[in-house]
Amino acid sequence: MMRQLFYGLLGGFVLPAWAETTSMPLNMTQGVTGVSQQVYSLHMTIFYICVAIGVVVFGVMFWAIIHHRKSRGAVAASFHESTKVELLWTLIPFVILIVMAIPATKTLLAMEDTTQSDLTIQITGSQWKWHYTYFGEDVSFYSNLATTQAQIKNERQKRENYLLEVDHPLVLPVGQKIRFLMTSQDVIHSWWVPAFAVKKDANPGFINEAWTRIDEPGIYRGQCAELCGKDHGFMPIVVIAKSQADYDEWLQVTKTAQRVAREEEQRLLDMEMPMDELMAMGEKVYNTRCAVCHQVNGQGLPGAFPALAGEGISMDPGKKLEHISVVVHGRNGTAMQAFGPQLSLKELAAVITYERNAWGNDTGDTVQAAEVQAVLKGEEL
């Protein structure tokens, strides 16, 4: 206990310098980009200047206390303001601030320079996931928390990267300047990856810019750094940096997979999926996307998220189209998001079918992809 207290008191001055030479992750990360290195260097420069100021000020103060104490017969001097002293303690801080401002300005200008980028990616935050769109590549996807509810509820052992895992990570090439355009669909989020020294707010109705150039392949993790709602802590960021050749291969595979998925959706419009297949897929989609608000048992959270079990449109045989519309388009003024852009037609049909037949609702309805497509296009409401 005493050792922890000692380190805590000493940490304000010694810890950053100590951590720089040890493996303890107590200092700011140096990162893997040129800008992150500049930020780290600026941080250490300002830190050492502050340490020097602290040593001088407290040194003079303690020297004066010891050598001019009453027990030594010291008598307090009586004097008024001194023009020289006034000038000194005005000019010295001014000079120090100028010395600190020069490298800080250079670093800030470098952080904000998004020109001449090789790749542009739009990042859209929503409660509680990220949507990535690769400009000019016809590739886009949502990135959701992959940590299971069982781990969150301590029903299973937590993995090494607990709450820092996603189903679809952002994949970037190394050595390329990547420009990020950040916005939000609902509330303010903040896209933060410490290894890149990138932390930028995603505001609804606005576009903020940032950029990075990653020097080393690897997996880099971050989080939403804005208090964006009840599941703020379940909105991680995972970036996989690949060599240019590996990135190009991933891009082609992803573009092909997404094109095939779109073609498969069109084929589904002429098909009818059986109830058991819809229920099996719907349960999986529900537990991944819906259970965090409406609960696994469909009971919801009173006062926050309505129950789906035994009440509402999910058990009313006459409100199937309204149910589809709510899931597809969301509800304005509530936390109910529009899942139409996030899920495939098959997934939407399955999860709505599941909600209408789970927990004793037993409407007997099946929802097919063609019905979801009609609501998406506004053909049938």
Side-chain angles (χ1 to χ4, degrees):
M1 181 66 184
M2 290 301 296
R3 183 172 63 179
Q4 292 175 344
L5 179 61
F6 171 74
Y7 286 155
L9 293 173
L10 197 61
F13 291 103
V14 176
L15 224 42
W18 177 31
E20 190 176 17
T21 59
T22 70
S23 60
M24 297 180 67
L26 300 175
N27 196 7
M28 175 183 286
T29 177
Q30 296 189 39
V32 293
T33 67
V35 166
S36 68
Q37 294 289 334
Q38 290 184 53
V39 171
Y40 179 81
S41 297
L42 175 64
H43 160 72
M44 295 309 300
T45 298
I46 302 303
F47 168 75
Y48 288 127
I49 290 174
C50 292
V51 169
I53 292 171
V55 169
V56 171
V57 171
F58 283 97
V60 171
M61 182 181 72
F62 287 120
W63 179 86
I65 290 172
I66 293 171
H67 287 82
H68 297 280
R69 61 188 186 273
K70 183 177 180 180
S71 61
R72 295 190 61 178
V75 178
S78 178
F79 59 90
H80 295 282
E81 66 276 357
S82 167
T83 303
K84 291 182 179 179
V85 172
E86 294 280 355
L87 287 172
L88 280 176
W89 72 33
T90 300
L91 289 175
I92 291 176
F94 177 77
V95 171
I96 293 173
L97 288 174
I98 293 298
V99 170
M100 295 167 71
I102 292 173
T105 302
K106 290 181 178 178
T107 300
L108 287 172
L109 289 174
M111 293 174 71
E112 298 298 325
D113 181 16
T114 61
T115 60
Q116 299 181 340
S117 59
D118 301 301
L119 173 65
T120 298
I121 295 176
Q122 179 175 314
I123 301 173
T124 305
S126 61
Q127 294 176 311
W128 288 270
K129 60 183 73 67
W130 299 100
H131 183 246
Y132 300 114
T133 300
Y134 291 66
F135 279 25
E137 299 293 352
D138 198 24
V139 169
S140 65
F141 53 86
Y142 283 87
S143 181
N144 295 274
L145 175 73
T147 301
T148 65
Q149 289 294 315
Q151 292 178 41
I152 293 173
K153 295 178 180 179
N154 292 318
E155 295 172 355
R156 288 188 182 178
Q157 184 176 359
K158 292 178 172 59
R159 295 161 61 95
E160 179 183 357
N161 295 306
Y162 173 68
L163 295 185
L164 292 175
E165 301 169 317
V166 298
D167 53 1
H168 298 295
L170 177 64
V171 179
L172 301 176
V174 299
Q176 300 289 315
K177 184 170 184 177
I178 299 142
R179 176 179 174 230
F180 299 122
L181 301 179
M182 300 182 188
T183 188
S184 170
Q185 288 185 335
D186 38 49
V187 299
I188 299 176
H189 302 279
S190 185
W191 200 82
W192 175 48
V193 180
F196 303 163
V198 173
K199 179 181 178 292
K200 187 70 71 170
D201 281 354
N203 300 314
F206 294 89
I207 298 289
N208 282 331
E209 291 184 290
W211 71 276
T212 192
R213 181 184 284 112
I214 308 168
D215 297 329
E216 303 172 14
I219 299 176
Y220 306 103
R221 303 180 189 275
Q223 292 175 293
C224 175
E226 193 73 40
L227 188 58
C228 58
K230 82 175 190 64
D231 284 335
H232 159 69
F234 303 105
M235 196 171 171
I237 300 159
V238 179
V239 178
I240 298 180
K242 295 177 176 283
S243 66
Q244 188 64 51
D246 289 342
Y247 169 77
D248 290 339
E249 180 181 356
W250 171 86
L251 187 62
Q252 290 305 315
V253 169
T254 303
K255 290 169 72 173
T256 301
Q258 293 194 359
R259 186 183 68 252
V260 169
R262 289 192 292 269
E263 293 171 353
E264 178 66 23
E265 282 202 337
Q266 294 306 306
R267 286 195 291 270
L268 277 174
L269 299 179
D270 298 323
M271 298 172 55
E272 280 208 9
M273 295 176 62
M275 173 71 81
D276 57 347
E277 185 177 349
L278 286 166
M279 289 295 288
M281 175 179 284
E283 182 178 13
K284 183 178 179 180
V285 175
Y286 179 87
N287 289 336
T288 303
R289 299 299 187 90
C290 312
V292 68
C293 294
H294 296 288
Q295 306 304 301
V296 174
N297 57 11
Q299 296 299 318
L301 294 173
F305 302 102
L308 302 177
E311 60 183 275
I313 60 174
S314 57
M315 66 166 298
D316 189 334
K319 294 188 175 181
K320 183 169 78 168
L321 289 179
E322 183 181 348
H323 190 176
I324 297 173
S325 181
V326 168
V327 174
V328 168
H329 299 301
R331 269 187 171 158
N332 292 332
T334 73
M336 180 61 193
Q337 306 175 40
F339 283 92
Q342 303 181 38
L343 300 174
S344 67
L345 293 178
K346 188 175 182 179
E347 290 172 324
L348 288 165
V351 74
I352 298 168
T353 299
Y354 177 77
E355 291 174 356
R356 298 185 68 75
N357 293 279
W359 319 298
N361 287 349
D362 299 330
T363 63
D365 293 337
T366 63
V367 177
Q368 301 297 331
E371 295 175 284
V372 177
Q373 176 80 329
V375 172
L376 273 168
K377 291 186 174 181
E379 297 173 358
E380 188 176 353
L381 293 174

